[in-house]
Amino acid sequence: MKLNDFVNLENKNINHISVIKRENNKKRDYLFLNKELGKHYPVLGKNVFNQFNNLENELKKYINPNQKILLIGFAETATAIAEYLFFKASQKMENHLNFVYYIQTTREEFNTNIPLVSFEEEHSHATNQKLYYNESDIPEYDTILFIEDEITTGNTILNFINEFSKIKPNLNYIVGSLLNWQNEENKNKFKNKGIQTVSLINGEIKNNLSEIQLNKTIDKFNIKDKVLENEKIILPETKFEPRLGINIENYRKRHNNFLLNIENESNSKGNKKLIIGTEEYMFHAIYLSNLLNGFTQSTTRSPIVCSNDKNYPIKNGFIIPSAYDSLRTNYIYNLNKYDEIIIMSDFINKEFEKNIRNLLLPFSKNIRVLRTNGGINANWISKNKLQ
């Protein structure tokens, strides 16, 4: 179950990447766990931002500052990485890359007439990806920079380019990723299409990998069977929504509005804190955890096997309803005790709010929920301690 059993590594001494087992996924049995990503595993927010910053510095080595870039972050996890890059550009920090516009791919449904580009993420538990692409709002660009947390084969990127080339041909394509495990065959597919790759950690995934065997698997605790109401949120169209596309100026306003709503939080340091994001909405949770010197992780659609086997990192898991669709299954892993837990989401249905509180009570007596209303304005659903 060591990383070296799955990947021939170019980089050595990689301690923050582990291999874990997907649950009931016949397409791909394994998942690479990045312990400093702030998704499936709790980590200090400052460590997450350090990793994102390292990727940005690597990208600057290879990208011409005169290139006009459309930045696209891939759901779920890579949205946080891409938004970090766009955030820094919006704040005019450290000779940022020349981003003209930012869009996240999404699996959510919006009340909008913006045209869709749909493509498949073949190995995933939720295969359909959507890009809301409103060409009339996007400034002129010559390059698309995709941000991923991991490239294994690169097929998701190729599927997107095949669809997007029908709309806008003759673009430069760059893929920035924390991990790249492409073998020679898949690297050549990228080269033949002129796709450039930039990544922090490189290696080649091995062939004919056997199924992961665990001795002591543990059932996840299911609170989702207590869902009483069928509530799915059809997300509204706003000019401040990264899933629908956002320019630098509107992103700056969006972030500044967020800061106004958390300005008193920066004075509440000292206790052991956990800031939880939801699915595609991760960046603000990581940002707040970095501000408070706290830990961060987020809910996910990924079903992962839990085990007490020695050196296996996912020790517990919980099944909850999604913040966006009460009948959709979400998971959260490796919960521990904290002095305070803050749950953050851009949208929250009642079933999620109720169930996440019940879930977290054994882990903290001080639980608060912050709903950011699509990232435009924010309100604390609860600032009170739960006894």
Side-chain angles (χ1 to χ4, degrees), residues 173-280:
Y173 291 103
I174 305 170
V175 185
S177 183
L178 301 176
L179 315 176
N180 187 347
W181 307 139
Q182 286 180 300
N183 60 26
E184 282 303 313
E185 179 184 355
N186 289 315
K187 286 178 182 176
N188 286 331
K189 289 179 182 178
F190 270 35
K191 288 178 183 177
N192 292 338
K193 285 189 171 288
I195 303 169
Q196 182 181 358
T197 59
V198 180
S199 48
L200 284 182
I201 297 173
N202 297 283
E204 182 174 319
I205 196 145
K206 295 182 178 180
N207 295 322
N208 303 316
L209 294 172
S210 59
E211 184 176 336
I212 296 172
Q213 301 295 325
L214 295 170
N215 295 319
K216 304 173 183 176
T217 59
I218 301 171
D219 289 338
K220 288 182 277 295
F221 179 67
N222 186 2
I223 65 167
K224 188 173 181 287
D225 58 357
K226 298 178 182 178
V227 169
L228 299 177
E229 297 182 21
N230 180 0
E231 184 181 3
K232 179 178 180 178
I233 300 174
I234 306 299
L235 307 185
E237 179 178 345
T238 81
K239 63 181 180 180
F240 297 101
E241 173 52 68
R243 296 181 187 94
L244 300 180
I246 189 168
N247 61 35
I248 287 280
E249 184 58 34
N250 283 338
Y251 187 87
R252 187 180 299 115
K253 292 177 182 177
R254 180 180 191 264
H255 186 72
N256 289 343
N257 284 342
F258 169 74
L259 290 179
L260 287 174
N261 286 278
I262 63 164
E263 58 184 352
N264 294 326
E265 292 306 300
S266 59
N267 299 321
S268 61
K269 300 179 181 179
N271 295 329
K272 185 180 178 183
K273 300 176 185 295
L274 174 67
I275 320 298
I276 298 175
T278 52
E279 298 185 55
E280 298 169 3

Side-chain angles (χ1 to χ4, degrees), residues 162-177:
N162 288 337
E163 292 301 317
F164 196 79
S165 296
K166 300 172 186 176
I167 301 170
K168 198 172 180 70
N170 304 319
L171 291 170
N172 301 311
Y173 291 103
I174 305 170
V175 185
S177 183

Side-chain angles (χ1 to χ4, degrees), residues 1-9 14-22 28-35 41 150 179 181 205-206 209-214 304-305 307 309-314:
M1 289 280 301
K2 295 180 180 179
L3 183 59
N4 287 332
D5 295 331
F6 286 78
V7 179
N8 295 314
L9 292 168
I14 301 169
N15 298 318
H16 63 287
I17 309 297
S18 299
V19 182
I20 55 179
K21 184 177 177 65
R22 295 176 186 263
R28 191 178 292 174
D29 177 61
Y30 56 89
L31 180 71
F32 294 101
L33 172 68
N34 186 335
K35 295 178 183 177
Y41 195 92
E150 173 197 326
L179 315 176
W181 307 139
I205 196 145
K206 295 182 178 180
L209 294 172
S210 59
E211 184 176 336
I212 296 172
Q213 301 295 325
L214 295 170
I304 297 168
V305 175
S307 173
D309 279 15
K310 185 179 179 180
N311 298 326
Y312 187 78
I314 301 298

Side-chain angles (χ1 to χ4, degrees), residues 15-62:
N15 298 318
H16 63 287
I17 309 297
S18 299
V19 182
I20 55 179
K21 184 177 177 65
R22 295 176 186 263
E23 190 170 68
N24 298 324
N25 190 322
K26 295 180 180 180
K27 299 176 185 176
R28 191 178 292 174
D29 177 61
Y30 56 89
L31 180 71
F32 294 101
L33 172 68
N34 186 335
K35 295 178 183 177
E36 295 186 350
L37 194 51
K39 185 62 174 175
H40 305 110
Y41 195 92
V43 60
L44 288 170
K46 64 181 180 181
N47 292 356
V48 182
F49 275 0
N50 283 341
Q51 186 177 207
F52 293 177
N53 195 59
N54 289 339
L55 178 60
E56 181 188 38
N57 290 335
E58 196 69 16
L59 287 165
K60 288 176 181 176
K61 295 178 185 178
Y62 298 95

